[in-house]
Each structure stands twice: as C-alpha cells, then as structure tokens.
Amino acid sequence: MKQQGQARPDWDTYFMDIAAVVARRGNCSRRQVAAVIVKDQRLISTGYNGTPRGVKNCCEGGCARCASDAPSGSGLGECICCHAEENAITQAAYHGIAVQGATLYCLLTPCLICAKMIINAGIKEVVFENEYEFSEQTRALLHEGGVRCRRLVR
C-alpha cells in the first residue's frame, strides 16, 4: 500500500528497480547482474548472470573460472556463465517474443559481445545504472548500430 507522500517511480526507476530484484536470482558466484527488456512500457523478458539452462549453477561449482582466484576481468574465455543481457535476449527468443524496437535496462553497461547481440536483436535503447569496463569500442559500436545509451542517474 502506498504511503501518503511517497513518490510514484518514473518508468526508468520502475524498470531498473525490477532489474535489481531479478539480479538476486543470478547464480554467478562472482557478480549478480540483471537485465530486463521492455517494449511499450511492458516487461517482456528478464535475464541474469549465470550458467546456461540445465548446467550446474555457477554458485554450486558449475563454472571453474568463477570458482578460481582469477582476477576480475581475466580468463573470461574460460567462463561458462552467460551475461544478463545475453540471457534476456535468448529468453525472449526461446519463448518466441520479438525484442525489435525495445529498451534494455541493465545494472551494468554491456560488454562488446552483448553489444553485438543487442544491435542484432534490434533493441533500440540501453539504459544502465553503473559503468563496468564500458570501452570506447563498445560505446562506438552501439552508437553506429543505432542504439541509444544513457545512464540512469538517481
């Protein structure tokens, strides 16, 4: 129940808050991140960091790289966890939901691989909360691919 004087969140805050809840489902032992895909102000897909469907959860030892003491950002080619953006896009595809023209809300900026998926999926906007190794190459690729990127400042 809404308390008197409590502000109703704007759409960006609403969807980013949902992403924060989705992140709690993440099974990656290193980082809990989430993405939600929205079209026409309707949530159409969610994704969080973790191992592929049917594979032992990362937090249960499913990913040897994440269970190791490898420094952050290293050995990523050995990591079997899927990124939140990747999972949100593939979850929509799995259920036959088109994401063309949608907005993707994510807790962290996308990596280069996820940026390519976002462009090819036809997503038109990325709203992020925090930057995580958002390289000039990734930023330029999203721009060239016609994807608007903006940071949600609270």
Side-chain angles (χ1 to χ4, degrees):
M1 182 184 230
K2 185 176 171 184
Q3 295 180 0
Q4 190 173 11
Q6 188 178 20
R8 184 174 183 219
D10 60 40
W11 287 112
D12 285 344
T13 300
Y14 174 71
F15 290 121
M16 199 65 78
D17 286 351
I18 291 171
V21 171
V22 171
R24 294 177 18 210
R25 285 284 304 157
N27 72 60
C28 179
S29 62
R30 293 247 179 157
R31 194 175 312 288
Q32 289 188 309
V33 181
V36 299
I37 301 176
V38 173
K39 192 169 184 180
D40 301 323
Q41 305 301 341
R42 298 285 179 240
L43 181 65
I44 60 172
S45 188
T46 65
Y48 49 80
N49 281 18
T51 52
R53 181 187 317 269
V55 174
K56 186 177 185 179
N57 287 335
C58 176
C59 58
E60 297 167 339
C63 179
R65 184 262 174 196
C66 287
S68 76
D69 60 357
S72 180
S74 69
L76 296 178
E78 300 302 313
C79 182
I80 65 166
C81 290
C82 301
H83 288 184
E85 304 92 331
E86 176 184 9
N87 274 331
I89 292 167
T90 58
Q91 187 72 357
Y94 184 84
H95 292 286
I97 300 168
V99 298
Q100 184 177 8
T103 298
L104 185 140
Y105 288 84
C106 49
L107 299 180
L108 297 175
T109 50
C111 71
L112 182 61
I113 293 170
C114 287
K116 293 185 280 186
M117 291 182 69
I118 288 164
I119 293 166
N120 281 341
I123 291 170
K124 291 297 173 197
E125 183 176 31
V126 171
V127 181
F128 62 91
E129 191 163 51
N130 296 299
E131 285 197 26
Y132 179 76
E133 305 205 12
F134 197 29
S135 72
E136 255 330 292
Q137 183 183 26
T138 302
R139 198 182 298 267
L141 184 68
L142 287 165
H143 177 74
E144 184 178 349
V147 179
R148 179 179 177 220
C149 290
R150 61 186 172 87
R151 184 177 198 160
L152 175 62
V153 179
R154 298 191 197 218

